[in-house]
Amino acid sequence: MSIAPYAALALQMRCDAVNGCNDVSEARRQMLQTIARCDGLIRGSKGFLRTFAGQEIRLVVLPEYFMTGFPMGESVSAWIELACIEENGPEYQALAQVARAHNVYLSGNVYELDPHFPGLYFQTSFILADTGERVLRYRRLLSMFSPTPHDVLERYVEVYGEESLFPVADTELGKLACVASEEILYPEISRALALRGAEVICHSSSEVGSPLATPKNIAKQARALENMAYLVSANSAGIAGIAFPEASTDGHSQVVDYKGRLLAEAGPGESMVGCAELDVAALRRARATPAMGNLLARQRLDLFASTYSDRVVHPPNTLLDPDNGAIKVPDRTHFMDTQREAIARLREPGK
């Protein structure tokens, strides 16, 4: 299928945190208000960019945890109550309506519940088609302070299968995938998606805004180049209603092409400047051409297999009881203790 070039928007919008809400009902109202504001920002951005730049936006990526902010000391159970959404809850229904109303594929990142894993939540990146149908759900695999599928890996694979860990959606816009937040710093995740065919990586992030070269900004161009993939990365335009300076996470929403070139990048504040044209047909020609620059085709993965298979740094299934497989609901100390053990393991000879 031939895919005509289209515009992708990394929509840089303010995050209104729910941490300070007086009760759950206020938090839920605020989350729906954020979706309504998102609707207006997409409407305005689409209209302006079509009129003044001739760009027809077909893909919109929203920042990380754009509806809620992140837990700042709340227990897992408290965050579930306050900020986590159901798989088919009213928030997803409202987002689906936004995608339909504006004829866009819509990607974002939320904290999501799963009935198969009571007492836990997963940080989830999603892609909704322009019909409102969810075509991709990606659960963040590497997180410092939140449960992940890796923490319950044996049970997770039993429920959803191995293919659920690195999903890629084959769509009219190309083969789309998601990477969450600081996972852009880990080459293995983007490479796993590219090897499964991913051509456009949607990156929802909430990260440091700085005139210096930040770790994530360095990584964005590297991941796009080494995987010959487009990257659409949306950052928060600050986080309001939380106990640190609001503009600390601001700027750098961007589009990077499959040669690692920065096509567009937003400055501080709410912005539609992180918008550029994606030419998936050109990407496919590059991947199909024998050349020194065809980095995907030059991979010799068997060289690295034993390095990964023979070593365990951060072990799986830390939230499954080893005796009966029951889910263990962690307190916040669990995550730091597990990392201390990983550091000690790295220091062992031959590990």
Side-chain angles (χ1 to χ4, degrees):
M1 177 180 67
S2 178
I3 299 175
Y6 62 89
L9 169 65
L11 181 61
Q12 191 165 285
M13 61 180 292
R14 184 185 73 248
C15 171
D16 293 319
V18 300
N19 308 67
C21 290
N22 294 317
D23 53 39
V24 173
S25 60
E26 181 185 346
R28 300 293 160 169
R29 285 195 301 273
Q30 182 171 299
M31 290 159 69
L32 290 173
Q33 287 168 1
T34 293
I35 295 173
R37 201 166 65 81
C38 175
D39 176 74
L41 292 173
I42 293 175
R43 179 183 298 109
S45 298
K46 277 205 71 170
F48 183 92
L49 290 167
R50 182 190 302 115
T51 301
F52 292 96
Q55 294 176 313
E56 185 61 40
I57 297 171
R58 294 286 287 121
L59 172 64
V60 177
V61 179
L62 304 175
E64 183 184 11
Y65 43 65
F66 67 98
M67 286 193 298
T68 61
F70 62 95
M72 286 195 70
E74 289 90 351
S75 67
V76 170
S77 58
W79 195 246
I80 285 174
E81 182 75 9
L82 185 67
C84 299
I85 67 174
E86 301 283 349
E87 291 180 350
N88 297 296
E91 297 84 6
Y92 270 128
Q93 294 173 24
L95 288 165
Q97 178 54 35
V98 172
R100 286 193 294 268
H102 302 298
N103 190 38
V104 296
Y105 279 67
L106 183 63
S107 181
N109 179 273
V110 297
Y111 291 100
E112 186 181 74
L113 303 175
D114 186 323
H116 295 288
F117 299 93
L120 302 181
Y121 60 80
F122 298 114
Q123 192 177 355
T124 301
S125 293
F126 62 84
I127 299 176
L128 304 175
D130 51 8
T131 61
E133 176 191 4
R134 182 166 48 213
V135 295
L136 185 141
R137 171 191 281 122
Y138 169 74
R139 261 75 180 266
R140 180 174 172 173
L141 297 171
L142 296 174
S143 180
M144 184 70 186
F145 292 114
S146 290
T148 77
H150 185 253
D151 297 318
V152 288
L153 185 61
E154 185 176 315
R155 177 82 61 83
Y156 198 88
V157 170
E158 283 180 4
V159 174
Y160 293 112
E162 291 275 357
E163 66 279 1
S164 68
L165 298 176
F166 298 101
V168 176
D170 193 356
T171 76
E172 61 183 309
L173 302 185
K175 294 180 180 179
L176 310 182
C178 291
V179 170
S181 187
E182 65 174 358
E183 288 186 324
I184 201 68
L185 301 176
Y186 296 86
E188 294 85 356
I189 291 180
S190 297
R191 176 56 50 78
L193 293 169
L195 290 172
R196 288 165 171 80
E199 297 165 326
V200 180
I201 296 174
C202 302
H203 178 230
S204 294
S205 189
S206 185
E207 62 190 66
V208 170
S210 172
L212 301 177
T214 64
K216 285 188 181 180
N217 276 340
I218 294 168
K220 290 170 193 176
Q221 289 181 267
R223 298 297 87 82
L225 169 64
E226 66 199 14
N227 293 299
M228 302 179 72
Y230 282 103
L231 179 79
V232 185
S233 176
N235 190 22
S236 307
I239 303 178
I242 202 168
F244 65 61
E246 178 176 330
S248 298
T249 58
D250 195 1
H252 302 301
S253 294
Q254 61 190 246
V255 180
V256 185
D257 79 358
Y258 57 92
K259 294 184 179 181
R261 297 175 298 196
L262 191 59
L263 301 181
E265 182 175 15
E270 293 200 318
S271 178
M272 60 183 175
V273 172
C275 181
E277 184 178 86
L278 275 55
D279 189 345
V280 174
L283 178 156
R284 290 179 176 179
R285 288 194 298 271
R287 284 186 174 184
T289 301
M292 184 175 285
N294 192 334
L295 301 182
L296 273 183
R298 296 179 64 195
Q299 291 301 311
R300 304 187 186 201
L301 300 176
D302 55 296
L303 288 172
F304 316 112
S306 63
T307 298
Y308 286 102
S309 64
D310 293 348
R311 288 163 176 79
V312 173
V313 178
H314 187 122
N317 301 316
T318 61
L319 295 182
L320 290 181
D321 188 299
D323 296 323
N324 57 24
I327 293 169
K328 299 188 292 185
V329 178
D331 58 27
R332 291 296 175 192
T333 62
H334 164 85
F335 301 105
M336 194 65 77
D337 290 343
T338 302
Q339 191 183 59
R340 289 192 184 98
E341 293 169 6
I343 292 170
R345 201 173 288 113
L346 282 169
R347 291 174 173 168
E348 297 174 11
K351 295 297 183 183

